[in-house]
Amino acid sequence: ETVLTQSPGTLSLSPGERATLSCRASQSVSSYYLAWYQHKVGQAPRLLIYGASTRATGIPDRFSGSGSGTDFTLTITRLEPEDFAVYYCQQYGSSPYSFGQGTKLEIK
Amino acid sequence: QLQLQESGPGLVKPSETLSLTCTVSGGSISSHSYFWAWIRQPPGKGLEWIGSIYYSGTTYYNPSLRSRVTTSVDTSRNQFSLKLSSVTAADTAVYYCASQPYRRAARSLLYLDYWGQGTLVTVSS
């Protein structure tokens, strides 16, 4: 099973700042099969990025994904108030499809 | 776009079977382009993929839950369902259903693009 480790656990930033979230896999993720989700309390998780770097439909271009192999990054430039949430990475290259433990992005 | 909605009892007794249904709208559950997935999130913890099912009945399950999980599809109602047997307090979680695109040429299940709002299931006597 591929274990995903996200860092940091909590990130405290102000609106307008840049956020960099990391996701490290215990083994190489095949075919760039890595996704990022945004999750707010009481809401459905929202797909942001798939294929490591492709934005999902309707996702603003301030969200970007990069990386390959075992190291992946989600970058949010110019944080907006609505971006403060928990972010999860997920690999779908091999079953069982696993998630990271999440990074909480909070307002400083 | 697809919309999914979970339904089922919010309280299940220990040792009994948890049963949930997901109703899909905005598309057909018989689509060849999708698997249909269940994911859960225990209180204060992260997300866990439970399993995925195709309209034909092909299933993939998380090995950690395989012995207790059954999923099914009802194409006439555009629904799919989850049954988790012999539940304990550790199965208390918010349960989500989601759509999972399927790349047939590569036989690959992909990311989870549309999710339901989730339903809290508590296991308690």
Side-chain angles (χ1 to χ4, degrees):
Chain A
E1 175 178 344
T2 301
V3 176
L4 300 180
T5 302
Q6 292 186 241
S7 61
T10 301
L11 187 56
S12 300
L13 294 170
S14 300
E17 292 192 296
R18 178 189 186 96
T20 303
L21 287 67
S22 174
C23 176
R24 177 163 290 177
S26 60
Q27 55 191 291
S28 184
V29 176
S30 61
S31 304
Y32 297 84
Y33 280 179
L34 193 287
W36 289 93
Y37 303 88
Q38 178 191 68
H39 193 195
K40 297 180 181 179
V41 174
Q43 296 186 18
R46 177 190 184 194
L47 175 68
L48 299 174
I49 301 286
Y50 62 91
S53 61
T54 302
R55 275 189 300 276
T57 303
I59 301 303
D61 61 7
R62 65 179 181 273
F63 290 90
S64 64
S66 63
S68 64
T70 60
D71 289 293
F72 298 88
T73 301
L74 174 70
T75 301
I76 313 170
T77 58
R78 304 180 310 278
L79 283 166
E80 298 286 344
E82 62 267 27
D83 297 337
F84 292 91
V86 180
Y87 292 82
Y88 293 96
C89 59
Q90 181 224 355
Q91 67 80 23
Y92 48 96
S94 61
S95 181
Y97 309 117
S98 48
F99 293 86
Q101 82 279 17
T103 289
K104 182 180 181 181
L105 180 54
E106 65 177 25
I107 299 177
K108 187 174 182 180
Chain B
Q1 69 179 39
L2 291 171
Q3 293 184 309
L4 298 92
Q5 179 66 59
E6 307 86 353
S7 59
L11 181 64
V12 181
K13 291 182 168 55
S15 80
E16 295 190 344
T17 296
L18 177 160
S19 296
L20 295 174
T21 296
C22 182
T23 301
V24 178
S25 57
S28 173
I29 203 166
S30 298
S31 168
H32 291 199
S33 299
Y34 276 99
F35 268 71
W36 306 96
W38 289 98
I39 306 97
R40 70 180 182 177
Q41 183 174 34
K45 296 188 177 182
L47 297 162
E48 179 181 35
W49 171 72
I50 298 170
S52 302
I53 185 168
Y54 201 43
Y55 77 96
S56 62
T58 298
T59 55
Y60 295 95
Y61 295 142
N62 192 321
S64 67
L65 296 168
R66 181 177 290 139
S67 64
R68 299 193 292 129
V69 171
T70 304
T71 56
S72 59
V73 170
D74 185 340
T75 55
S76 66
R77 295 174 181 262
N78 227 37
Q79 295 176 334
F80 63 106
S81 298
L82 168 71
K83 291 187 185 300
L84 181 65
S85 64
S86 305
V87 297
T88 69
D91 295 309
T92 293
V94 176
Y95 286 76
Y96 297 95
C97 58
S99 55
Q100 187 171 19
Y102 176 51
R103 184 170 290 162
R104 296 181 71 191
R107 301 179 72 179
S108 296
L109 281 67
L110 304 180
Y111 43 87
L112 301 157
D113 57 356
Y114 296 101
W115 297 60
Q117 289 285 101
T119 186
L120 175 62
V121 179
T122 301
V123 179
S124 175
S125 55

